[in-house]
């Protein structure tokens, strides 16, 4: 028999939706919540997100667990019997896991309350444009603000039963990057009468790749990835426009500022040499995920005494997470949950091991009960 939370994960897996369009996801979660005993439960919605309050027995503080909700624009290539029913979208970053674990935590505490209160936040739009910052500012959260936050992220590279974490920085600062190049289109046979934005954009991609290697201190990790490039309309027309879409990752805020300055300088150079216009949009920016040192070390010590999990002290990762905004305001931490699959995050074949769902629910509920006693 499948655990109800594995079953829920499979239902969620079939309905991945873009950020702030998680309508079916919200409805499914609300339906699940309505089946639970209601005496300790208060539910609020905010945009496509959900805030769930579970009253404790004799509360003196309020804990928070956050699960992100959105899917990614990826066409699923798994051979799962419950694939995405939304063409071109997939839960390829584990948010289906994060939500079903969140529901497992809610279900546990409505039937076995702890001393303290708990707020479980189902947060939209983690992949972009970022739901954490506006959710933190939402009226619906102000009188429910937790005193401590916990969140997790699935980790394909670790076996089931592994929890990987570290104090201080876990994930990088991020900035999206959208670059539009506007030149002059023309006939393929008359390049001297046009400004070809395919040539300008490809040169720009090459120049962007020199920034990390030449301008950033090698001891301070940074990444610039261009993940999408669009240009042109037909094989014999010189492209008037090109667009590059990417992301910047840095461990330090200073490197982020420096990289942005260098990108502007590269753009000015391309404008001068191609007599074109280059405009840059930094999209959404996420703060680093900074795990509160004392709480994280205490969690790690507590994990060492558990026999259903193995603790691994990991290094920082260049992934980003808008949970960093929660940790900027509220002490807490994020950890990696091992789900043992050869395919990485954002891969069309990602197939995390569902046994990790119960491991996570058990670990989070036991930890919160320990903290609440
Ligand atoms: C855990 C994870 O994969 N998070 C995403 C966050 C994306 C932030 C933003 N859209 C960007 O691309 O900068 C990641 O790609 O790390």
């Amino acid at each position: 028999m499948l655990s109800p939370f594995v079953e829920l994960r499979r239902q969620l897996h079939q309905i991945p939706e873009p950020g702030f369009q998680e309508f079916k996801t919200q409805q499914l979660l609300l339906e699940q919540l309505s089946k639970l005993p209601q005496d300790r439960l208060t539910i609020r919605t905010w945009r496509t997100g959900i805030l769930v309050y579970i009253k404790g027995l004799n509360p003196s503080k309020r804990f928070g667990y956050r699960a992100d909700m959105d899917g990614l624009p990826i066409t699923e290539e798994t051979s799962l019997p419950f694939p995405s029913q939304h063409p071109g979208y997939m839960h390829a970053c584990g948010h289906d896991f994060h939500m079903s674990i969140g529901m497992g935590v809610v279900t546990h505490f409505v039937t076995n309350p702890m001393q303290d209160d708990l707020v479980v936040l189902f947060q939209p739009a983690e992949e972009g444009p970022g739901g954490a910052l506006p959710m933190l500012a939402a009226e619906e959260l102000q009188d429910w603000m937790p005193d401590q936050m916990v969140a997790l992220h699935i980790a394909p590279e670790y076996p089931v039963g592994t929890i990987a974490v570290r104090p201080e920085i876990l994930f990088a600062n991020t900035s999206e990057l959208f670059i539009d190049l506007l030149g002059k289109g023309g006939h393929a046979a008359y390049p001297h009468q046009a400004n070809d934005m395919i040539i300008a954009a490809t040169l720009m991609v090459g120049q962007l790749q020199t920034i990390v290697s030449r301008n950033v201190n090698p001891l301070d990790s940074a990444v610039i990835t261009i993940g999408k490039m669009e240009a042109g309309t037909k094989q014999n027309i010189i492209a008037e426009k090109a667009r590059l879409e990417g992301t910047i990752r840095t461990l330090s805020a200073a490197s982020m500022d420096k990289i942005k300055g260098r990108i502007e300088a590269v753009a000015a150079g391309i404008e001068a040499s191609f007599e074109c216009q280059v405009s840059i949009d930094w999209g959404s920016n996420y703060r680093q995920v900074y795990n509160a040192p004392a709480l994280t070390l205490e969690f790690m010590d507590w994990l060492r005494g558990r026999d259903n999990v193995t603790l691994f002290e990991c290094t920082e990762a260049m992934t980003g997470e808008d949970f960093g905004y929660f940790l900027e305001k509220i002490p807490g931490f994020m950890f990696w949950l091992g789900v043992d699959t050869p395919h990485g995050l954002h891969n069309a074949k990602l197939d995390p091991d569902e046994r990790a769902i119960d491991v996570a629910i058990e670990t989070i509920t036991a930890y919160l009960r320990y903290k609440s006693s």
Side-chain angles (χ1 to χ4, degrees):
M1 246 246 311
L2 279 184
S3 129
F5 307 109
V6 170
E7 218 157 292
L8 175 61
R9 179 265 159 162
R10 293 185 180 189
Q11 286 177 279
L12 289 165
H13 187 78
Q14 293 175 57
I15 53 166
E17 296 168 292
F20 288 125
Q21 292 177 51
E22 301 95 336
F23 302 110
K24 290 188 199 169
T25 306
Q26 185 189 47
Q27 194 189 340
L28 175 60
L29 294 173
L30 287 172
E31 276 164 21
Q32 296 288 316
L33 290 164
S34 72
K35 292 181 195 153
L36 297 175
Q38 299 292 306
D39 47 328
R40 300 203 159 266
L41 210 56
T42 314
I43 296 163
R44 292 177 180 165
T45 57
W46 167 78
R47 299 184 66 172
T48 47
I50 307 175
L51 300 81
V52 184
Y53 202 106
I54 304 131
K55 191 97 197 108
L57 294 169
N58 184 20
S60 61
K61 47 189 177 306
R62 193 180 293 137
F63 292 99
Y65 171 83
R66 173 278 206 168
D68 39 13
M69 300 171 75
D70 49 329
L72 281 163
I74 291 179
T75 300
E76 181 164 351
E77 288 173 28
T78 68
S79 46
L80 291 170
F82 49 87
S84 167
Q85 301 301 309
H86 290 173
Y89 270 83
M90 178 184 173
H91 270 300
C93 202
H95 300 188
D96 47 351
F97 270 55
H98 306 167
M99 288 185 278
S100 61
I101 292 164
M103 191 60 75
V105 172
V106 174
T107 306
H108 176 92
F109 286 117
V110 290
T111 42
N112 308 283
M114 60 175 164
Q115 294 299 314
D116 289 313
D117 293 347
L118 173 66
V119 177
V120 174
L121 300 175
F122 293 97
Q123 178 220 296
E126 185 275 331
E127 298 291 351
L133 201 54
M135 191 175 219
L136 269 162
E139 210 187 306
E140 291 79 354
L141 182 59
Q142 299 318 302
D143 57 334
W144 285 7
M145 205 59 89
D147 301 303
Q148 185 193 322
M149 287 295 293
V150 182
L152 61 83
H153 204 291
I154 64 158
E157 64 271 40
Y158 301 118
V160 174
T162 301
I163 286 185
V165 66
R166 72 187 304 275
E168 304 184 352
I169 299 178
L170 185 73
F171 289 1
N173 297 279
T174 72
S175 171
E176 292 177 344
L177 174 60
F178 301 99
I179 301 175
D180 284 293
L181 297 97
L182 179 62
K184 188 173 167 207
H187 195 291
Y190 299 85
H192 55 295
Q193 293 174 2
N195 293 329
D196 186 343
M197 287 305 101
I198 288 188
I199 304 295
T202 49
L203 278 171
M204 187 161 185
V205 171
Q207 288 185 17
L208 292 177
Q209 293 310 313
T210 67
I211 294 176
V212 172
S213 71
R214 299 296 89 187
N215 303 127
V216 176
N217 182 338
L219 298 176
D220 182 13
S221 304
V223 176
I224 300 176
T225 290
I226 300 298
K228 185 173 170 188
M229 186 168 180
E230 259 176 8
T233 51
K234 193 175 184 303
Q235 119 290 342
N236 62 349
I237 300 173
I238 289 176
E240 180 197 15
K241 293 177 188 169
R243 181 171 166 86
L244 305 174
E245 298 188 2
T247 180
I248 311 166
R249 310 294 165 98
T250 66
L251 287 187
S252 76
S255 283
M256 179 61 80
D257 290 344
K258 179 158 195 183
I259 286 175
K260 287 186 172 178
R262 291 303 306 152
I263 292 175
E264 277 163 356
V266 166
I270 294 285
E271 280 187 327
S273 52
F274 285 89
E275 295 178 343
C276 65
Q277 287 167 32
V278 180
S279 54
I280 302 173
D281 173 358
W282 303 115
S284 61
N285 294 225
Y286 295 171
R287 287 284 193 279
Q288 61 186 12
V289 171
Y290 185 86
N291 283 344
L295 282 174
T296 312
L297 290 168
E298 181 201 38
F299 175 61
M300 290 166 75
D301 267 349
W302 176 83
L303 283 176
R304 286 188 187 97
R306 308 272 310 159
D307 47 15
N308 67 334
V309 289
T310 305
L311 168 67
F312 180 74
E313 185 162 358
C314 57
T315 58
E316 306 91 328
M318 300 309 281
T319 30
E321 247 287 355
D322 63 353
F323 186 61
Y325 284 116
F326 281 100
L327 293 183
E328 206 175 42
K329 277 203 154 187
I330 304 167
F333 53 83
M334 170 169 257
F335 63 86
W336 289 111
L337 174 74
V339 293
D340 199 7
T341 160
H343 306 292
L345 301 174
H346 297 196
N347 185 294
K349 293 195 166 83
L350 178 83
D351 177 14
D353 188 328
E354 295 177 326
R355 287 174 306 160
I357 292 175
D358 285 340
V359 173
I361 296 170
E362 252 176 70
T363 306
I364 292 166
T365 53
Y367 169 72
L368 291 176
R369 200 172 286 285
Y370 154 77
K371 287 291 289 179
S372 176
S373 54

